[in-house]
């Protein structure tokens, strides 16, 4: 018991100064900006009582909205992982005229008001739009369906994947690829067995960010989704609808369940990351 | 596998990295490419591996022209200075990688690959570490794994690019001896690049001294040390002192004094005199000698190294004295090199030595 090494300490000794100040500031800041507003959601939802809350959450329209929200977000995040990694690959590996322009364009979804993006996408993918008119004869409807939601979410999530994968890809040693080549691996084997596995942590992070962003997205989606209840109505929109009906409790119930689901999904991604890190370690 | 490099030239963006290099490597030999950075030694190694393609010339593996073959087809084992291990694979998976990526019938079954990996791990004296990841190993261990991985594909040639460059001195010496043992046991034709002459001279059957994209000399350690064929090799291998001298009537002159060395068949004119600091005789009087005043002296292991200012402080040469020699700063010392080499200034003139 008295063995010094077994004594639990709140803080490991360190030569770096300012631990108390930095931690205090972090907690105060996080509380003001994130924790207190979000706990408001919990408090409001609690006012419903467990049965009231459960009734709200299991309401069919709510369930459908949640399914649409998380389903489309997952699909969009998967698509972004594939295409975002590809975009990062092109930007990192090749030198061509206009590379910097493309590099800059990747960030545009960050800067553009998402409503603008939604209107633009809706105009293009509507049955009489540029691309929509090409797809319509094939019987494919994009705008005003869940497919349209996915398109909008891909748009807003793309930079997250590109910007997390790109720097890691830049740091891949040429040596490692050359080593694989001298061992007889062809290009395809080198990419699938060497490069992609070493990008896994970055891709996972990008996936998590793109997914989180998509779940919370509102502006761009409502213009392209058509917002048909039970079909293409997303949970954030349902929250707004409940608010407009002055059903504050209902709105917070949906918000609370979204928070819980999102938290656990992001937590799971972080666990996978930590496991990954323990296995392969950082540095050389 | 004999490797023959024939008139190879390599340019990077019109900058010549190798100029017309030819070299024959015999089967089973351990060869060192030695030179300062920028001498083209790594480029030559990468050309043999197929990681670069020559601008001109060809490379033969045995009787077969390998110049146009891809890296994958050449079947060479390559060891990188920074190990280049696959971080997401265990040690055993790293070693087995080369066998695992083979196609169809050439790929051994899973247990066979594992067995082979364990055997190699045993050879590099790392048994028991097969399930570790590279980041759980020390630098020396990682380099051993890298070597085992390179040997797993039964390469025709083993190529090592500054294999011990990233390790500390102690581990380096250990691995050097160990690499020699492995080479003797397996008999792979091996080429390694180094800028450490001690490493090259100690380890290699033959040393290839390179400078500025050219091969200066190819030979055994004795050849390179005792019979250097150019001022560069003399200066690069081992310690040496150089003095600008003049040849007049078969005698070597330093400023207005004769050094006491005579040469034959050397035209009159300027030349450079090279000798080893330890290979000198101290003289009492100076009837034909090199004389100078002591500018600095320092103790090096069992001897004392003295810097002499010669010819009115114009030049500095280093010589070795017994530790108990009474020379202090500013005292005058006269000596004559026992063995030396004279490189006349004009191109094409013959080299004289004694």
């Amino acid at each position: 018991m008295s063995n010094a090494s077994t004594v639990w300490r709140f803080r490991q000794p360190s030569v770096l100064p300012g631990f108390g100040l930095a931690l205090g500031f972090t907690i105060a800041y996080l509380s003001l900006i994130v924790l207190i507003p979000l706990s408001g959601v919990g408090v409001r939802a609690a006012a419903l009582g467990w049965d009231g809350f459960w009734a709200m959450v299991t309401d069919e329209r709510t369930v459908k909205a949640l399914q649409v929200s998380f389903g489309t977000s997952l699909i969009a995040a998967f698509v972004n992982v594939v295409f975002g990694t590809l975009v990062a690959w092109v930007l990192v590996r090749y030198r061509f005229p206009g590379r910097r322009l493309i590099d800059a364009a990747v960030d545009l979804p960050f800067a553009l008001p998402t409503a603008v993006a939604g209107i633009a996408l809706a105009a293009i993918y509507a049955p009489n739009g540029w691309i929509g008119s090409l797809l319509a004869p094939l019987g494919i409807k994009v705008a005003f369906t869940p497919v349209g939601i996915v398109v909008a979410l891909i748009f807003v999530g793309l930079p997250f994947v590109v910007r997390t994968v790109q720097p890691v890809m830049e740091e891949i040693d040429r040596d490692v690829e050359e080593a694989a080549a001298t061992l007889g691996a062809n290009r395809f084997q080198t990419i699938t067995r060497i490069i992609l596995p070493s990008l896994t942590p970055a891709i996972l992070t990008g996936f998590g960010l793109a997914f989180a962003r998509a779940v919370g997205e509102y502006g761009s989606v409502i213009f392209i989704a058509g917002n048909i209840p039970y079909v293409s109505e997303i949970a954030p929109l349902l929250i707004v609808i409940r608010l407009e009906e002055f059903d504050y409790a209902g709105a917070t119930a949906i918000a609370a369940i979204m928070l819980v689901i999102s938290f656990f999904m992001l937590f799971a991604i972080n666990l996978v990351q930590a496991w990954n890190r323990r296995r392969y370690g950082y540095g050389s | 596998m004999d490797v023959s490099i024939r008139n190879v030239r390599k340019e990077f963006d019109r900058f010549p990295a190798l100029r017309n290099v030819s070299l024959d490597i015999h089967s089973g030999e351990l060869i060192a490419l030695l030179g300062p950075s920028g001498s083209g030694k790594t480029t030559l190694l990468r050309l043999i591996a197929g990681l670069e393609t020559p601008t001109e010339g060809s490379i033969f593996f045995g009787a077969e022209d390998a110049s146009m073959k891809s890296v994958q087809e050449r079947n060479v084992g390559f060891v990188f200075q920074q190990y280049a291990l696959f971080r997401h694979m265990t040690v055993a998976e790293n070693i087995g990688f080369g066998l695992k990526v083979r196609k169809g019938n050439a790929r051994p079954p899973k247990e066979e690959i594992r067995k082979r990996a364990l055997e190699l791990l045993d050879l590099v004296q790392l048994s028991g570490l097969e399930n570790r990841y590279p980041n759980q190993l020390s630098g020396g261990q990682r380099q051993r794994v890298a070597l085992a991985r390179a040997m797993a594909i039964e390469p025709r040639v083993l190529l090592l690019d500054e294999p011990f460059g990233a390790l500390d001195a102690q581990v380096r010496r250990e691995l050097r001896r160990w690499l020699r043992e492995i080479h003797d046991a397996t008999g792979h034709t091996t080429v390694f690049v180094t800028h450490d002459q001690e490493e090259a001279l100690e380890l290699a059957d033959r040393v290839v001294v390179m400078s500025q994209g050219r091969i200066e000399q190819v030979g055994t350690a004795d050849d390179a040390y005792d019979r250097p064929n150019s001022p560069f090799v003399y200066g690069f291998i081992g310690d040496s002192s150089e003095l600008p001298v003049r040849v007049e009537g078969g005698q070597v002159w330093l400023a207005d004094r004769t050094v006491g060395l005579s040469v034959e068949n050397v035209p009159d004119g300027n030349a450079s005199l090279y000798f080893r600091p330890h290979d000198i005789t101290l003289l009492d009087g100076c009837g034909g000698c090199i004389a100078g005043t002591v500018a600095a002296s320092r103790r090096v292991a069992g001897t004392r190294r003295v810097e002499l200012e010669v010819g009115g402080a114009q030049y500095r040469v280093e010589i070795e004295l017994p530790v108990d020699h009474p020379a202090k700063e500013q005292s005058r010392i006269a000596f004559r090199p026992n063995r030396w080499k004279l490189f006349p200034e004009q191109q094409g003139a013959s080299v004289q030595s004694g």
Side-chain angles (χ1 to χ4, degrees):
Chain A
M1 283 296 279
S2 61
N3 188 336
S5 66
T6 61
V7 173
W8 186 85
R9 300 178 97 167
F10 178 62
R11 180 196 162 207
Q12 296 300 313
S14 162
V15 291
L16 297 179
F19 173 75
L21 189 64
L23 183 70
F25 179 77
T26 304
I27 288 177
Y29 193 83
L30 263 181
S31 301
L32 280 174
I33 303 293
V34 180
L35 298 179
I36 293 175
L38 288 188
S39 62
V41 173
V43 171
R44 280 284 192 157
L48 283 167
W50 182 247
D51 292 339
F53 176 76
W54 194 244
M56 284 286 186
V57 166
T58 52
D59 170 61
E60 205 199 337
R61 190 171 172 189
T62 311
V63 171
K64 284 285 179 200
L66 287 171
Q67 279 175 357
V68 170
S69 260
F70 285 99
T72 53
S73 296
L74 276 176
I75 295 170
F78 274 116
V79 173
N80 269 330
V81 159
V82 176
F83 288 104
T85 307
L86 198 66
V87 170
W89 177 265
V90 169
L91 290 176
V92 170
R93 286 307 171 104
Y94 306 110
R95 294 292 169 267
F96 52 92
R99 187 181 70 93
R100 291 191 181 283
L101 285 179
I102 295 181
D103 203 3
V106 166
D107 284 331
L108 282 182
F110 277 144
L112 205 65
T114 51
V116 176
I119 293 167
L121 288 170
I124 288 174
Y125 284 98
N128 56 355
W130 282 0
I131 299 175
S133 61
L134 296 176
L135 295 175
L138 305 173
I140 303 170
K141 272 189 72 180
V142 176
F144 317 123
T145 67
V147 183
I149 301 177
V150 172
V151 171
L153 295 181
I154 292 171
F155 175 86
V156 297
L158 179 71
F160 291 96
V161 177
V162 178
R163 290 296 176 236
T164 46
V165 173
Q166 198 177 6
V168 180
M169 200 181 269
E170 266 162 5
E171 273 178 21
I172 292 181
D173 269 329
R174 260 197 93 75
D175 281 5
V176 175
E177 282 173 66
E178 288 179 346
T182 60
L183 293 170
N186 60 33
R187 207 60 201 131
F188 179 75
Q189 288 169 321
T190 306
I191 290 173
T192 53
R193 290 168 190 246
I194 306 297
I195 297 177
L196 286 181
S198 60
L199 289 178
T200 311
I203 290 177
L204 269 176
T205 306
F207 177 85
L209 288 173
F211 170 74
R213 178 76 177 80
V215 168
E217 176 58 15
Y218 174 76
S220 63
V221 175
I222 55 167
F223 286 100
I224 198 172
N227 304 328
I228 307 155
Y230 303 102
V231 178
S232 60
E233 185 180 58
I234 56 168
L237 177 65
L238 192 57
I239 294 175
V240 173
I241 290 172
R242 292 279 182 258
L243 287 177
E244 283 170 349
E245 292 165 350
F246 302 105
D247 179 7
Y248 297 131
T252 46
I254 304 171
I257 194 72
M258 280 191 81
L259 260 182
V260 170
I261 297 174
S262 297
F263 180 81
F264 279 106
M265 295 192 82
L266 294 175
F267 189 65
I269 292 174
N270 271 341
L271 283 184
V272 175
Q273 289 279 46
W275 171 75
N276 217 27
R277 203 172 316 153
R278 251 200 322 281
R279 251 176 95 197
Y280 309 139
Y282 273 134
S284 52
Chain B
M1 177 70 52
D2 287 338
V3 176
S4 170
I5 294 141
R6 302 190 187 163
N7 303 316
V8 162
R9 198 163 59 83
K10 175 68 183 173
E11 286 174 6
F12 292 109
D13 297 331
R14 318 207 67 191
F15 170 80
L18 282 179
R19 317 162 193 242
N20 208 24
V21 164
S22 294
L23 176 67
D24 281 308
I25 299 164
H26 309 308
S27 192
E29 231 182 349
L30 180 55
I31 284 229
L33 304 181
L34 173 66
S37 51
S39 59
K41 54 193 192 305
T42 296
T43 305
L44 182 56
L45 194 77
R46 291 172 61 87
L47 279 166
I48 299 174
L51 292 170
E52 310 279 357
T53 45
T55 312
E56 239 174 61
S58 45
I59 292 164
F60 281 77
F61 281 18
E64 162 199 61
D65 187 352
S67 314
M68 288 302 130
K69 291 202 159 185
S70 71
V71 197
Q72 287 89 350
E73 290 166 330
R74 287 196 199 189
N75 195 31
V76 295
F78 202 102
V79 175
F80 295 83
Q81 179 176 5
Q82 298 292 341
Y83 328 124
L85 294 178
F86 308 133
R87 279 168 51 183
H88 59 283
M89 294 183 194
T90 63
V91 166
E93 285 166 347
N94 262 286
I95 297 173
F97 181 80
L99 299 173
K100 208 173 152 193
V101 294
R102 286 191 182 164
K103 298 255 154 41
N105 284 337
R107 178 172 52 215
K110 235 180 178 175
E111 312 84 66
E112 183 64 35
I113 295 178
R114 174 102 183 155
K115 202 175 131 239
R116 180 103 185 91
L118 293 182
E119 278 170 19
L120 280 163
L121 213 50
D122 201 39
L123 179 70
V124 299
Q125 298 160 3
L126 289 179
S127 311
L129 298 185
E130 63 270 16
N131 292 327
R132 298 270 190 98
Y133 284 92
N135 74 310
Q136 297 169 314
L137 303 178
S138 72
Q141 290 173 328
R142 286 182 209 184
Q143 199 55 293
R144 288 170 194 232
V145 173
L147 185 70
R149 183 180 68 176
M151 288 194 297
I153 58 170
E154 282 150 34
R156 298 197 282 183
V157 195
L158 202 51
L159 307 169
L160 302 94
D161 186 8
E162 306 233 6
F164 313 130
L167 305 169
D168 61 57
Q170 176 109 29
V171 181
R172 234 174 140 120
R173 266 195 299 278
E174 226 171 81
L175 280 192
R176 206 186 284 165
R177 206 171 310 126
W178 166 85
L179 179 65
R180 181 78 231 184
E181 281 165 20
I182 292 232
H183 175 264
D184 293 344
T186 60
H188 280 118
T189 309
T190 307
V191 184
F192 74 99
V193 159
T194 180
H195 60 254
D196 180 346
Q197 47 168 301
E198 198 188 315
E199 195 168 290
L201 296 176
E202 187 183 321
L203 196 50
D205 296 325
R206 286 197 299 159
V207 178
V208 178
V209 186
M210 298 185 67
S211 159
Q212 299 183 338
R214 290 198 181 83
I215 291 180
E216 293 274 343
Q217 186 168 0
V218 182
T220 62
D222 289 344
D223 290 337
Y225 192 82
D226 293 334
R227 292 175 287 282
N229 65 359
S230 72
F232 173 81
V233 178
Y234 212 121
F236 189 70
I237 307 262
D239 293 322
S240 66
S241 285
E242 183 215 344
L243 269 179
V245 293
R246 211 172 65 252
V247 179
E248 247 177 64
Q251 282 292 315
V252 178
W253 292 72
L254 176 65
D256 55 350
R257 286 162 184 256
T258 165
V259 173
L261 307 172
S262 48
V263 290
E264 283 165 26
N265 302 326
V266 176
D268 291 357
N270 293 333
S272 295
L273 176 70
Y274 281 83
F275 57 92
R276 305 280 182 206
H278 63 89
D279 214 0
I280 54 147
T281 310
L282 292 175
L283 302 171
D284 285 332
C286 194
C289 70
I290 301 170
T293 49
V294 176
S297 102
R298 57 185 199 278
R299 175 72 184 254
V300 178
T303 61
R304 192 179 295 285
R305 278 291 170 85
V306 170
E307 258 181 53
L308 288 184
E309 282 182 342
V310 176
Q314 271 193 66
Y315 314 113
R316 283 199 169 199
V317 293
E318 232 182 25
I319 59 168
E320 231 170 75
L321 298 180
V323 176
D324 51 6
H325 193 277
K328 283 194 291 289
E329 284 199 15
Q330 299 308 323
S331 54
R332 248 181 119 64
I333 290 183
F335 71 96
R336 191 183 297 147
N338 299 336
R339 292 208 298 174
W340 46 275
K341 214 157 174 162
L342 199 65
F343 295 99
E345 214 167 59
Q346 309 97 307
Q347 287 292 316
S350 64
V351 172
Q352 274 285 314
S353 57

